[in-house]
């Protein structure tokens, strides 16, 4: 079956007694057993049955099963945020004296997790330009535990060659771990490109309009020890499993993901092309524009789609603030891939506590506005953006 069908028709593990058509929310903590033997078997994983909601819950399991069916993954584990999925995954691969090869072009908290939190426990961050394959080879040594990157970085909108990175990582027998939040896994075949593990903030595209926090670890089974540690050690000991309420909302979101994504991506394409004609905008960065340096690679890796995130550069930070303050329809808010169009000035918000020097290393500019395009009528979005630029024309 095709992805649109699988997203909607993945039966839940134990059929609901009333035959509820939507997945029921099992809003409980403990599960009862028929007898002592069943209880022992469940606790020791000899049978597949939930025992305690910190590590398993049927509503969450159903979401995991649907994602597994959509990605052909070996294991899928749902966490209570994207950061929980990322931190648990990195804790499963890293240990003292090991290093992580990555880039400065990372989501702010991921960058801080790697450079501060994990570093405090003896894991070394190794930053390089992941679009330069030689630099990646040179950065990897015998203590490297993984290569980590994002499919489409934010706000730089950089795209790295995943197949080549996977080949380099596998030559050194280490996994390639990819944060695929910015392009839904229904549009990519990262497994075919050699990616070993995908981590996703399901808060974004999947939640269905910013309804709930969530994270997914999609494991293709190529490094079996990682899932073992993640599911049977970290899930228990760190307690960051997804809640049934979030899983319910994210399952509803997953059911409509394809239509929402297609519309948001086509809206973004139209808007990027129109904004390119505006003289007050110095630069439009969108991977769906033919003159974008990543256009060809992005088409290949993302099923000819380009996502719903774009950036525009104005004359100055002040021009960016004036623009944001004049918006009437587009919302001044963080988050990505909400149903609504959102605008933010990354340098003063998400990256507001980084120094100018760090911002420079990350290529985060004071002149950049990030837009996450929603489901509204594109004419209305464009009209709002153009009126907000008026002062600067
Ligand atoms: C939002 C985001 C995260 C963090 O996800 P949360 O669900 O907010 O914890 C991680 N990576 C990327 C690329 C993101 O956009």
């Amino acid at each position: 079956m095709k992805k649109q069908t699988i997203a909607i028709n993945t039966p839940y593990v134990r059929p609901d007694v009333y035959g509820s058509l939507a997945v029921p929310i099992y809003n409980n903590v403990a599960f009862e057993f028929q007898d002592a033997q069943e209880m022992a078997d469940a606790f020791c994983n000899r049978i597949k049955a939930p025992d305690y909601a910190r590590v398993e819950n049927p509503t969450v399991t159903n979401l995991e099963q649907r994602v597994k069916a959509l990605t052909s993954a070996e294991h899928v584990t749902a966490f209570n945020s994207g950061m929980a999925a990322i931190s648990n995954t990195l804790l499963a691969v890293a240990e003292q004296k090991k290093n992580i090869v990555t880039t400065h072009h990372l989501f702010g908290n991921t960058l801080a997790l790697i450079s501060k939190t994990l570093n405090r426990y003896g894991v070394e961050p190794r930053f390089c330009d992941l679009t330069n394959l030689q630099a990646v080879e040179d950065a990897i040594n015998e203590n490297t535990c993984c290569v980590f990157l994002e499919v489409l970085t934010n706000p730089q909108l950089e795209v790295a060659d995943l197949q080549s990175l996977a080949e380099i990582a596998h030559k050194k027998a280490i996994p390639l771990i990819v944060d695929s939040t910015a392009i839904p896994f229904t549009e990519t075949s990262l497994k075919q490109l050699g990616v070993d593990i995908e981590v996703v903030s399901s808060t974004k595209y999947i939640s269905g309009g910013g309804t709930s926090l969530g994270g997914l670890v999609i494991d293709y089974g190529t490094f079996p020890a990682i899932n073992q540690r993640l599911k049977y050690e970290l899930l228990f000991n760190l307690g960051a499993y997804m809640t049934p309420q979030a899983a319910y909302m994210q399952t509803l979101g997953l059911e409509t993901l394809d239509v929402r994504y297609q519309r948001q991506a086509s809206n973004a394409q139209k808007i990027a092309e129109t904004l390119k004609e505006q003289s007050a905008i110095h630069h439009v960065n969108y991977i769906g524009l033919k003159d974008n340096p990543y256009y060809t690679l992005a088409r290949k890796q993302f099923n000819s789609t380009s996502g719903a995130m774009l950036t525009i550069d104005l004359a100055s930070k002040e021009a960016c603030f004036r623009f944001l303050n004049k918006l009437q329809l587009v919302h001044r808010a963080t988050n990505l891939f909400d149903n609504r169009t959102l605008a933010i000035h990354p340098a003063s918000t998400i990256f507001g506590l980084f120094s100018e020097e760090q911002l420079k290393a990350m290529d985060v500019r004071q002149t950049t506005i990030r837009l996450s395009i929603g489901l509204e009528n594109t004419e209305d979005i464009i009209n709002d953006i153009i009126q907000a630029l008026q002062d600067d024309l």
Side-chain angles (χ1 to χ4, degrees):
M1 281 191 292
K2 303 284 190 292
K3 61 187 178 185
Q4 293 85 353
T5 315
I6 296 170
I8 291 169
N9 289 293
T10 303
Y12 33 94
V13 190
R14 288 185 166 181
D16 170 65
V17 283
Y18 302 108
S20 166
L21 205 47
V23 62
I25 306 175
Y26 288 91
N27 201 2
N28 61 314
V29 170
F31 298 85
E32 192 172 19
F33 297 94
Q34 301 293 328
D35 54 38
Q37 190 55 50
E38 190 192 17
M39 194 171 185
D41 289 342
F43 272 74
C44 299
N45 300 313
R46 285 187 293 267
I47 58 165
K48 192 98 193 80
D51 47 61
Y52 191 64
R54 172 155 37 75
V55 290
E56 195 177 344
N57 172 286
T59 311
V60 185
T61 301
N62 181 251
L63 175 65
E64 293 169 335
Q65 293 294 334
R66 290 196 201 207
V67 175
K68 192 170 167 220
L70 285 165
T71 55
S72 308
E74 192 77 17
H75 314 280
V76 174
T77 312
F79 288 88
N80 61 20
S81 71
M83 282 319 301
I86 295 167
S87 55
N88 276 262
T89 301
L90 292 181
L91 284 167
V93 295
E95 53 192 75
Q96 247 185 75
K97 301 198 172 71
K98 296 280 185 187
N99 66 64
I100 295 172
V101 168
T102 187
T103 163
H104 278 111
H105 294 172
L106 287 177
F107 180 70
N109 297 121
T110 307
L111 181 66
L113 168 72
I114 293 174
S115 59
K116 277 192 204 163
T117 314
L118 290 175
N119 190 232
R120 200 157 62 233
Y121 292 90
V123 181
E124 181 206 345
R126 291 197 151 208
F127 297 109
C128 63
D129 175 359
L130 294 179
T131 63
N132 176 346
L133 298 175
Q134 191 56 49
V136 180
E137 282 219 62
D138 294 346
I140 298 174
N141 70 4
E142 67 283 3
N143 291 324
T144 303
C145 63
C146 68
V147 176
F148 181 92
L149 77 156
E150 294 170 7
V151 273
L152 172 62
T153 74
N154 156 22
Q156 307 85 6
L157 307 181
E158 175 186 283
V159 181
D161 179 344
L162 296 173
Q163 194 157 14
S164 303
L165 287 176
E167 280 165 20
I168 292 171
H170 296 163
K171 240 181 1 201
K172 314 268 179 163
I174 55 171
L176 178 66
I177 303 177
V178 173
D179 178 337
S180 64
T181 301
I183 303 286
F185 47 74
T186 43
E187 297 300 331
T188 56
S189 305
L190 298 194
K191 181 187 176 180
Q192 261 89 311
L193 298 179
V195 170
D196 299 288
I197 294 181
E198 273 184 68
V199 288
V200 185
S201 166
S202 50
T203 310
K204 310 292 167 55
Y205 274 122
I206 296 159
S207 77
T211 63
S212 48
L213 284 164
L216 297 164
V217 177
I218 301 169
D219 183 331
Y220 294 112
T222 34
F223 289 80
I226 299 173
N227 178 66
Q228 191 65 23
R229 224 189 235 183
L230 188 81
K231 256 202 154 82
Y232 301 105
E233 181 187 322
L234 299 173
L235 203 54
F236 285 82
N237 298 350
L238 300 181
Y241 196 47
M242 186 180 274
T243 64
Q245 295 85 355
Y248 176 73
M249 286 187 274
Q250 305 221 340
T251 300
L252 296 187
L254 191 62
E255 291 188 353
T256 59
L257 174 63
D258 187 65
V259 271
R260 286 184 294 109
Y261 176 73
Q262 300 305 338
R263 173 61 70 89
Q264 283 179 274
S266 71
N267 281 0
Q269 182 73 36
K270 232 182 271 174
I271 289 167
E273 284 167 9
T274 309
L275 296 185
K276 246 175 102 67
E277 310 303 320
Q278 293 296 314
S279 59
I281 299 178
H282 292 212
H283 183 63
V284 178
N285 192 3
Y286 182 62
I287 53 167
L289 294 174
K290 285 207 173 71
D291 58 0
N292 186 286
Y294 301 114
Y295 177 78
T296 309
L297 182 60
R299 304 289 296 173
K300 183 174 143 233
Q301 294 189 162
F302 309 146
N303 193 26
S304 298
T305 69
S306 310
M309 175 167 56
L310 60 102
T311 67
I312 54 175
D313 274 81
L314 305 182
S316 61
K317 176 182 174 181
E318 292 68 36
C320 290
F321 273 46
R322 277 200 301 277
F323 169 78
L324 284 174
N325 291 341
K326 288 190 75 181
L327 290 171
Q328 288 167 4
L329 169 70
V330 175
H331 300 267
R332 289 175 288 273
T334 190
N335 198 15
L336 286 168
F337 319 126
D338 199 298
N339 294 337
R340 297 150 196 80
T341 297
L342 311 177
I344 192 166
H345 180 251
S348 66
T349 54
I350 304 167
F351 301 98
L353 298 176
F354 287 86
S355 68
E356 272 305 320
E357 210 166 279
Q358 287 169 313
L359 291 185
K360 216 176 152 77
M362 291 184 286
D363 292 313
V364 175
R365 290 187 297 274
Q366 294 292 347
T367 51
T368 304
I369 296 271
R370 184 187 79 191
L371 296 169
S372 171
I373 304 301
L375 292 167
E376 304 95 334
N377 183 288
T378 46
E379 230 171 275
D380 292 333
I381 304 169
I382 290 167
N383 286 343
D384 190 40
I385 292 174
I386 290 176
Q387 70 75 26
L389 288 169
Q390 279 319 314
D391 271 356
D392 291 278
L393 283 179

